[in-house]
Amino acid sequence: MDKEYPYAGFSSRAGARIIDLLFLLAVFNLFYLVDRYGAEAGLWTPSWWTDDFPVPGSFSVENVLRGVFFFGFPIFYYVYLHGAYGQTFGKMAFRIKVLKEDGSPMDYRRALLRWLSYFLCDATLYFGYLWAAFDKRKQGLHDKVCKTIVVRTDA
């Protein structure tokens, strides 16, 4: 903890987060279009949010798989990429990386805890994220909870 790192600033972290959210939105839209066209072609049952399908069939295998994808993919995206590489696609684009406070790489357990800590930032009306703009080590609330830092990789 004695070593000084080139901490990533708030703007690069926010930009990386926006890229991540746009990526997730693009994947969700692609999945939705494939799902919709496949259902219209008769390959599987339509989802419960279409007008053609009654609500009582909402617990079909197809709808359970849809739910698993829509809830599971963001968890997989953030936890796997942070645990394996220390960075998501957005962080890769901005050349920033998440490390433990001692400078060692993050593991999957800490990556899951960090993802869960995003909800603390959301619960504080995003002040948990904004905290990074004013903190000496540029740590948001989720970083403080997980004892992580975000550093620039180009320095």
Side-chain angles (χ1 to χ4, degrees):
M1 221 156 122
D2 299 321
K3 185 177 176 189
E4 276 297 314
Y5 292 96
Y7 300 116
F10 177 76
S11 60
S12 60
R13 293 178 63 160
R17 182 78 167 155
I18 289 169
I19 289 175
D20 290 335
L21 293 175
L22 289 174
F23 174 76
L24 288 173
L25 185 63
V27 169
F28 285 166
N29 282 323
L30 179 64
F31 181 87
Y32 174 77
L33 288 174
V34 169
D35 182 50
R36 181 75 182 229
Y37 288 128
E40 287 176 3
L43 299 175
W44 49 79
T45 60
S47 62
W48 59 270
W49 58 76
T50 63
D51 296 334
D52 305 336
F53 195 64
V55 174
S58 63
F59 290 109
S60 67
V61 172
E62 292 89 351
N63 283 335
V64 170
L65 291 175
R66 288 177 185 110
V68 167
F69 176 78
F70 280 111
F71 288 111
F73 184 72
I75 299 169
F76 169 79
Y77 176 76
Y78 285 107
V79 173
Y80 174 74
L81 287 176
H82 278 133
Y85 305 106
Q87 49 191 172
T88 59
F89 295 144
K91 287 182 180 69
M92 289 176 195
F94 277 88
R95 293 184 175 97
I96 58 178
K97 189 173 191 171
V98 182
L99 301 171
K100 292 181 186 176
E101 284 184 335
D102 64 4
S104 63
M106 204 169 38
D107 57 1
Y108 291 106
R109 194 169 82 185
R110 191 171 303 243
L112 177 63
L113 179 62
R114 191 171 193 273
W115 178 78
L116 290 171
S117 297
Y118 286 159
F119 294 107
L120 288 174
C121 294
D122 296 340
T124 60
L125 304 175
Y126 303 105
F127 284 112
Y129 296 116
L130 191 60
W131 189 335
F134 304 103
D135 187 71
K136 176 184 160 197
R137 297 174 67 197
K138 306 296 183 194
Q139 290 177 297
L141 179 60
H142 54 295
D143 294 312
K144 297 274 187 193
V145 168
C146 300
K147 299 185 188 317
T148 58
I149 55 175
V150 182
V151 297
R152 295 191 328 264
T153 60
D154 60 355

